[in-house]
Amino acid sequence: MQNKVYTLLPLFYLHSILGQNKQPDTLIHTDYFNAVHHWVVLPQNLPSVSYWLGYVYADPHQGFTFVFEDELTLNARGIWKRCHRENAHILRLILDAKSPKLWLLDTKTLQKLKLKAPPLWLEVMHYEAETWIESARKFMAHGQYAEAVYGFEQAFRQNAQIPNLNFELALALNSIERYPQCIRHVLGCIAQKPDDYRLYREMGYALVQMHQPQEAEKVYEQGLQVCQQNEQRREMALDMAQTFYRLRDQERFEKWAKILRQF
């Protein structure tokens, strides 16, 4: 491994400098954040008939990363063929919102190409929960919510008792608009920590976004009962008052406006 050169580049930058001749994209259909822990095919923006084969994994420091493995060709019958080129260096590409969509290889193709999932090198990579949390918070601050959700989820699987982690994961799920997943997560957490008003607020928000305001109202009412901070109570009441005002539900708006005035 001493003669290997490690290269890490933003994928959108690599594609912008390699030319404009695009290969057919009818097979390339998966967003980068849905390709984690998969072998994928990436089109080269080169005047070439080959594609790039690689594996996508999550790096807590860089985010979702494509590791180049080999080149592939695709014949007229739609069958992939591996080129088995000798790689002089290890190329890693950072994936983000500007990255092209990817094609996930199916099980039959993986077997044909003799690819193991996950690759052996990934099995030796391990990060502590604190590392995932630290990186997830940074991704949240930069609006990279898919990366943040992944990091919080990894930490949650390792230790669900870390303070604030259940709330931070719920907030990240709402930020990326995964509302049903947020609700499932919060329901499990409330069973363990029924006095965390923030969980009720995140669940209520998710229900509002799913056009279930009356169910959200019940959740917010529960949140008010366990919350001991008037400022936070005021914020929750304001959320509901504004929701029913937008829905032109005068009766419920007046109800929550009255509650709001108490704080």
Side-chain angles (χ1 to χ4, degrees):
M1 297 294 291
Q2 294 181 353
N3 62 338
K4 299 291 185 181
V5 177
Y6 293 81
T7 306
L8 187 61
L9 292 172
L11 189 54
F12 77 91
Y13 177 74
L14 184 73
H15 274 249
S16 69
I17 64 177
L18 289 184
Q20 300 299 321
N21 294 330
K22 295 183 179 181
Q23 295 165 320
D25 60 0
T26 54
L27 298 178
I28 314 301
H29 67 207
T30 304
D31 290 317
Y32 76 99
F33 48 80
N34 289 324
V36 182
H37 299 312
H38 287 282
W39 286 101
V40 301
V41 174
L42 174 73
Q44 293 188 59
N45 282 349
L46 290 169
S48 169
V49 294
S50 66
Y51 297 76
W52 281 6
L53 166 68
Y55 193 82
V56 178
Y57 76 101
D59 184 302
H61 306 293
Q62 301 294 338
F64 299 150
T65 306
F66 172 94
V67 182
F68 175 74
E69 176 73 16
D70 203 349
E71 291 186 37
L72 296 177
T73 58
L74 185 65
N75 65 21
R77 299 173 57 190
I79 299 175
W80 295 109
K81 181 179 180 181
R82 188 170 176 178
C83 298
H84 292 288
R85 302 189 189 281
E86 289 293 331
N87 300 325
H89 59 276
I90 296 175
L91 182 63
R92 296 184 296 163
L93 311 175
I94 303 171
L95 303 171
D96 58 24
K98 297 180 181 179
S99 302
K101 291 193 174 184
L102 309 171
W103 172 258
L104 272 61
L105 294 176
D106 57 28
T107 302
K108 182 178 180 180
T109 303
L110 292 177
Q111 293 174 346
K112 180 178 182 296
L113 299 177
K114 298 181 179 180
L115 296 171
K116 294 183 178 181
L120 293 177
W121 54 262
L122 187 63
E123 296 178 2
V124 301
M125 299 177 66
H126 176 76
Y127 300 97
E128 300 296 331
E130 290 74 14
T131 301
W132 284 115
I133 292 173
E134 181 181 358
S135 71
R137 288 171 178 166
K138 291 179 180 178
F139 286 126
M140 277 289 287
H142 288 87
Q144 294 177 256
Y145 301 126
E147 289 85 344
V149 165
Y150 186 91
F152 286 135
E153 285 180 333
Q154 293 304 304
F156 194 81
R157 291 190 183 101
Q158 293 185 37
N159 185 359
Q161 302 307 314
I162 294 175
N164 297 316
L165 179 55
N166 49 14
F167 162 69
E168 289 184 290
L169 176 52
L171 178 62
L173 288 168
N174 272 341
S175 297
I176 201 173
E177 301 180 1
R178 296 182 185 176
Y179 305 125
Q181 189 178 347
C182 176
I183 292 171
R184 291 193 298 270
H185 166 69
V186 169
L187 285 173
C189 293
I190 286 178
Q192 302 297 322
K193 296 185 177 181
D195 59 346
D196 190 341
Y197 70 89
R198 300 173 301 175
L199 295 176
Y200 295 94
R201 185 170 181 176
E202 291 304 316
M203 182 175 175
Y205 176 84
L207 287 166
V208 169
Q209 300 306 310
M210 293 177 64
H211 308 291
Q212 300 180 43
Q214 295 183 24
E215 292 301 316
E217 182 179 35
K218 297 175 185 177
V219 173
Y220 271 87
E221 288 173 338
Q222 291 177 287
L224 285 176
Q225 292 175 7
V226 301
C227 182
Q228 303 301 318
Q229 303 174 38
N230 280 345
E231 181 179 351
Q232 296 301 326
R233 288 175 173 177
R234 185 166 49 248
E235 288 297 318
M236 285 191 283
L238 180 60
D239 285 350
M240 280 284 88
Q242 290 177 331
T243 294
F244 290 118
Y245 177 81
R246 289 194 298 269
L247 294 174
R248 299 182 180 180
D249 188 329
Q250 186 66 24
E251 181 179 352
R252 283 189 165 85
F253 167 71
E254 291 179 356
K255 168 187 172 180
W256 283 97
K258 181 178 180 181
I259 296 174
L260 179 61
R261 294 189 191 101
Q262 297 176 10
F263 308 115

